[in-house]
Amino acid sequence: MRYDYDAVVVGAGPNGLAAAITLAQAGLSVLLIEANNEIGGACRSAELTVPGFSHDSCSAIYPLAVASPFFAALPLDRYGLSWIEPELPLAHPVDDERIVVLHRQMAAQIKELAEDGEAYRRVLEPFVSHWEDFVGEVLKPLLHLPTQPVLMAKFGLRALASAGHLARKLFKTESARALFGGLAAHSFLSFDKAASAAVGLVLGVLGHAVGWPMPRGGAGRITQALGNYFQGLNGQIITNRRIKNIDELPPARAIFLDLTPRQIMAIAGHRLPAGYCRALKAFRYGPAVFKIDYALSSSIPWKFSNCAKAGTVHIGGTLSEIEQAEKLVSKGELPNRPFVLAAQPSLFDPTRAPQGKHTAWAYCHIPHACEIDVTNKIETQIERFAPGFRDCVIARCARGPKMLEQGNANLVGGDINGGLADLRQLIARPTLSFQPYKTPGQGIYICSASTPPGGGVHGMCGRNAAILSLRHDFRIPPNEALHTK
């Protein structure tokens, strides 16, 4: 059969770009197709409020991008990508009297947590000290033979626990418990679920190892750099083309879908066995987010000065408050006091707003596909620790699950993680397989966040899928496919 391309990739988010780059590095001809008018997926920037204010349309803070072994091997700095690291990765107001922060340096963290400092060190320092090995393992499929078995056994003993149980078992103070609770809430899981502690541990380790940085100029700089590098490898990009049927694609030896199971079923279900289709239909999506981007007349008037030094602020209060909020969301209910994540990028990157003005964003977790506007709930939470915040707002752009999905079809029902990341779907993502990227369809691969290691901007879903295809379809050993800076 004659092929127009060696490979075609559908979807130009970070994972689609990573798959395309990996294939192009091996010398293959690769076409990358994007439905929107620009590449980037959930990693883009735009003037969402008023002219002159640049906002990150979805993701904004990138510890996994900096830690990604694949991204680290690319010369993205030559394509305009540079990183800003705030003084503090994270601040977390606990109540009217207390705030706890995440420091880069472990010594400072031990001091910050006082009587819980030594317990914190015992849990996280083994992974911080070997963070490159650790990240290399956690960004692989869960079903693999670890190259660092002792390190990962230590991690597994903690990671498989529920977040609520682990926080109370490890820590005595409300500050330490709240800090871990905020980290664990990034899992979108109820704190009584097994493995809800895993994401909290990983994010804590990365906070010390690489920080929680942001790209200078906005999220779009990441995918712009990836796209330009890919084109430098003779890769071809087509935008504004939505694929409704996989048969529309030009002939290729391998097809990569940076899509979630729902879209895959819609465009490629007729090319897949019935049993596999049933498994994809059983794939579960997780809770949603409601996100607000702000143009501000001044910086946020935080009660605690450390909030203005942190790239990210967790607004949720005590562990029990966060725990209750996440439990209600997992049950399909709206909490009165949702767990809110907030940031003010213009404090650290003046390119984001006109002189003297600021940008900010905040989002909270809500039930999947919820259509209720929770702007007031989010702003009430912010005002709790920043009285007068609403007086600073020039304009806001509030988007719930429906609008988020309209902007990016992979955000099904407002789920930004590509599917629920509970223990079952950490193992079977999207189906139970030692090769989860390869579908039974001839030459068809999945490379989205619905495959391991899941959500986050790290590119490893695309990278892993492409490496598998290079072995199976092109007989190219992985070491021969690697070209680094």
Side-chain angles (χ1 to χ4, degrees):
M1 180 176 177
R2 183 184 177 278
Y3 298 105
D4 292 354
Y5 297 90
D6 292 313
V8 174
V9 181
V10 179
N15 284 310
L17 283 159
I21 287 170
T22 301
L23 297 160
Q25 283 178 326
L28 303 182
S29 60
V30 185
L31 173 64
L32 178 59
I33 301 175
E34 169 57 40
N36 289 309
N37 60 7
E38 62 177 335
I39 65 171
C43 191
R44 291 182 287 170
S45 303
E47 292 184 339
L48 299 174
T49 54
V50 292
F53 291 81
S54 178
H55 306 276
D56 297 327
S57 57
C58 189
S59 63
I61 305 295
Y62 297 102
L64 281 169
V66 175
S68 168
F70 176 53
F71 288 167
L74 302 178
L76 299 181
D77 54 334
R78 300 180 200 168
Y79 294 86
L81 178 62
S82 62
W83 295 99
I84 295 172
E85 187 179 339
E87 180 180 343
L88 297 171
L90 170 68
H92 185 130
V94 179
D95 53 33
D96 288 341
E97 306 294 330
R98 292 173 292 182
I99 183 174
V100 62
V101 302
L102 184 68
H103 294 272
R104 274 296 307 274
Q105 301 302 319
M106 183 61 73
Q109 195 66 51
I110 293 170
K111 184 177 179 180
E112 172 81 17
L113 296 180
E115 65 179 297
D116 278 323
E118 183 57 26
Y120 183 95
R121 183 199 65 78
R122 285 197 307 270
V123 174
L124 268 73
E125 192 171 57
F127 312 111
V128 176
S129 299
H130 301 89
W131 73 267
E132 289 178 307
D133 291 333
F134 173 70
V135 170
E137 292 287 357
V138 298
L139 293 182
K140 294 177 182 177
L142 194 62
L143 297 178
H144 77 276
L145 188 64
T147 57
Q148 303 291 328
V150 176
L151 186 69
M152 296 314 293
K154 289 181 180 178
F155 175 66
L157 288 173
R158 308 287 194 192
L160 293 177
S162 66
H165 172 76
L166 188 64
R168 292 182 174 87
K169 178 182 178 182
L170 293 176
F171 306 123
K172 300 176 182 178
T173 65
E174 193 55 65
S175 292
R177 289 175 174 178
L179 177 65
F180 184 74
L183 295 171
H186 286 255
S187 69
F188 285 80
L189 297 176
S190 176
F191 280 15
D192 58 354
K193 297 296 183 182
S196 55
V199 169
L201 292 169
V202 171
L203 290 178
V205 169
L206 292 179
H208 299 298
V210 301
W212 284 18
M214 62 185 72
R216 190 179 307 277
R221 295 296 179 90
I222 300 174
T223 43
Q224 288 168 12
L226 290 168
N228 290 337
Y229 176 67
F230 169 63
Q231 289 176 313
L233 297 171
N234 297 316
Q236 181 181 352
I237 298 175
I238 296 177
T239 57
N240 271 322
R241 184 178 174 190
R242 186 171 301 277
I243 301 301
K244 298 181 179 179
N245 189 313
I246 197 172
D247 297 334
E248 300 172 14
L249 298 176
R253 292 176 65 184
I255 295 170
F256 295 81
L257 304 176
D258 185 5
L259 307 172
T260 78
R262 182 175 298 180
Q263 293 98 296
I264 292 167
M265 285 294 300
I267 73 168
H270 63 288
R271 297 265 294 268
L272 301 170
Y276 187 76
C277 288
R278 285 194 295 271
L280 290 184
K281 287 179 181 178
F283 187 81
R284 294 165 296 138
Y285 293 92
V289 302
F290 188 100
K291 185 172 186 283
I292 311 174
D293 288 282
Y294 294 98
L296 303 177
S297 61
S298 62
S299 59
I300 298 174
W302 296 110
K303 284 182 181 179
F304 300 104
S305 60
N306 273 341
C307 288
K309 299 176 183 178
T312 302
V313 181
H314 284 171
I315 307 169
T318 64
L319 171 66
S320 295
E321 288 181 79
I322 303 169
E323 188 173 45
Q324 175 67 11
E326 296 304 289
K327 184 175 184 179
L328 287 171
V329 169
S330 71
K331 292 167 60 179
E333 302 175 24
L334 276 175
N336 288 325
R337 284 186 164 184
F339 173 66
V340 174
L341 298 92
Q344 191 175 340
S346 55
L347 283 175
F348 315 99
D349 182 0
T351 69
R352 307 289 188 100
Q355 186 173 4
K357 304 296 192 295
H358 287 278
T359 61
W361 57 260
Y363 76 79
C364 75
H365 301 165
I366 62 175
H368 183 83
C370 177
E371 296 185 2
I372 298 174
D373 188 323
V374 295
T375 298
N376 185 59
K377 289 179 181 288
I378 289 175
E379 293 184 356
T380 299
Q381 280 286 70
I382 297 174
E383 288 263 353
R384 180 180 169 192
F385 298 108
F389 165 73
R390 287 188 176 98
D391 297 333
C392 304
V393 176
I394 298 171
R396 60 175 62 79
C397 174
R399 290 173 295 154
K402 186 175 182 179
M403 289 185 66
L404 290 170
E405 187 174 350
Q406 286 173 348
N408 181 350
N410 274 8
L411 306 182
V412 176
D415 179 354
I416 64 173
N417 272 337
L420 189 67
D422 63 0
L423 182 57
R424 172 181 155 191
Q425 284 193 177
L426 286 175
I427 297 172
R429 190 172 188 88
T431 63
L432 184 62
S433 172
F434 284 102
Q435 298 179 342
Y437 314 98
K438 193 175 189 306
T439 77
Q442 180 64 39
I444 301 175
Y445 293 82
I446 305 175
C447 65
S448 70
S450 299
T451 64
V457 175
H458 44 67
M460 293 304 294
C461 305
R463 172 68 168 175
N464 294 341
I467 289 293
L468 183 62
S469 174
L470 288 172
R471 290 202 310 263
H472 280 264
D473 301 308
F474 301 97
R475 301 295 186 261
I476 299 176
N479 61 331
E480 294 183 16
L482 302 180
H483 297 284
T484 67
K485 60 182 176 180

